[in-house]
Amino acid sequence: MTASPVVLGIESSCDETGVGLVRDGRLLGDAVATSMDEHARFGGVVPEIAARAHVHAVAPAVRAALDAAGLRRADIGAVAVTTGPGLSSALQVGVAAAKGFAFALDVPLYGVHHLAGHVAADTLEHGPLPNPCVVLIVSGGHTSLLLVRDLALDRIVHLGDTLDDAAGECFDKVARVFGLPYPGGPAIDRVARDGDPRAVAFPRALSGPRDDPYAFSFSGLKSAAARWAERTRAGGDPLPVADGAASLQEAVADVLTRKAVAACVEHDVRTLVVVGGVAANSRVRSLAQERCAAAGITLRVPPLRLCTDNGAMIAAVGDLLIKAGVAPAPLEMSIDASAPLEYASLQPVAGPSPAALAAAQGA
Ligand SMILES: Nc1ncnc2c1ncn2[C@@H]1O[C@H](COP(=O)(O)OP(=O)(O)OP(=O)(O)O)[C@@H](O)[C@H]1O
Ligand SMILES: [Mg+2]
């Protein structure tokens, strides 16, 4: 049996330039550079600033990951890169870099769906995913409850998605209204420690007996939090931010974990995996643990640093695709900024195919 290749993973879908090196499900070394501070004064990610920062950061990040792993460029046996979803200009930088490495090293290239990367992050800490498992993805742009079989090969089944805002987006936007710094999720988590989660009765959307049991909605919660802040300030009182943050966090954690555990029970699945940036939230983690234990479900959550965007998770998907025998992508592979999550492998090709071009030239 031939040894598995070292997979270089590159992630550039938003404001993190992530690079990771994975072989056989094991993380060998990684590096993450972020342009977060450059966006802070705008209150959100500015695509052109992010793209420019990726250009500066990607080659040094590859070098740093190789150094951390004690490897050389020639040790890289395959390249995996996020091709979507994300910011177009930011994705383009990672894809161009990945193509450059794959071409120069003469190794196969794989296009990866960013959210499949978030799912695979957990395998680097806890080993292969059981088949099947229920996965709750809670990130800055997505909130989905999934039934995952073989992550590398099978179509991912969406049990439910958010109808409007993502959970992370809700944290980020409410944090802004509360006057907390960007990014809002970690700030809410921090100040919530000193607050009372029962202080404000924020709504739990789509939780009634006639509602879709696995769909989410966070825009009503966002508005309710903004109205509460407005009302309290109008009354002349200082805003009890800690109580507001703790109550908001409780509402989000309650809905997420209740629906995720219900999905496991209904589908007779014994493992719940919670991934994405919001999986770093302390209350989401503790309530998920409590409710999974009560229902006899094993909970898996990646370590904090693998919850938010990183390159190791993309390398982890590449490693799984290679093991499953999935065909590499052609070098004319492009990005798909709004790709729906269907398969882990995402290899869109822009423009006419090489066959169509050859036919056109022959005509
Ligand atoms: N401790 C925390 N509590 C709550 N939210 C958090 C915490 N840490 C990070 N987040 C949130 O996680 C989100 C970032 O996560 P992630 O990097 O997975 O999202 P993204 O890459 O921006 O979005 P997507 O993966 O959907 O494209 C932000 O909304 C951030 O506020
Ligand atoms: Mg992400």
Side-chain angles (χ1 to χ4, degrees), residues 171-217:
F171 276 128
D172 292 335
K173 288 185 173 156
V174 173
R176 212 172 163 181
V177 174
F178 284 2
L180 294 169
Y182 169 87
I188 295 258
D189 200 348
R190 235 178 0 257
V191 301
R193 276 182 227 145
D194 302 319
D196 175 3
R198 289 172 305 272
V200 195
F202 284 135
R204 272 70 165 159
L206 301 177
S207 294
R210 301 163 80 94
D211 290 323
D212 181 334
Y214 306 134
F216 300 97
S217 167

Side-chain angles (χ1 to χ4, degrees), residues 51-130:
R52 204 175 327 131
H54 289 309
V55 171
H56 292 152
V58 69
V62 171
R63 158 116 358 253
L66 283 168
D67 288 348
L71 295 172
R72 292 167 308 128
R73 262 205 308 268
D75 295 318
I76 295 169
V79 181
V81 62
T82 304
T83 47
L87 306 170
S88 300
S89 52
L91 288 165
Q92 297 281 12
V93 178
V95 169
K99 286 181 182 183
F101 280 107
F103 185 71
L105 297 167
D106 195 19
V107 298
L109 174 69
Y110 294 85
V112 168
H113 196 289
H114 176 79
L115 296 178
H118 277 301
V119 181
D122 186 66
T123 65
L124 296 173
E125 182 73 9
H126 299 118
L129 293 172

Side-chain angles (χ1 to χ4, degrees), residues 269-295:
V269 170
R270 310 314 310 161
T271 305
L272 171 66
V273 190
V274 185
V275 299
V278 178
N281 181 266
S282 59
R283 187 55 183 151
V284 170
R285 291 171 94 97
S286 66
L287 196 54
Q289 187 54 60
E290 212 176 278
R291 288 183 171 166
C292 280

Side-chain angles (χ1 to χ4, degrees), residues 320-349:
L320 292 174
L321 295 177
I322 292 166
K323 283 210 192 78
V326 173
L331 272 180
E332 56 268 46
M333 176 181 75
S334 184
I335 62 151
D336 183 352
S338 55
L341 178 58
E342 292 173 338
Y343 289 93
S345 167
L346 180 66
Q347 313 193 335
V349 175

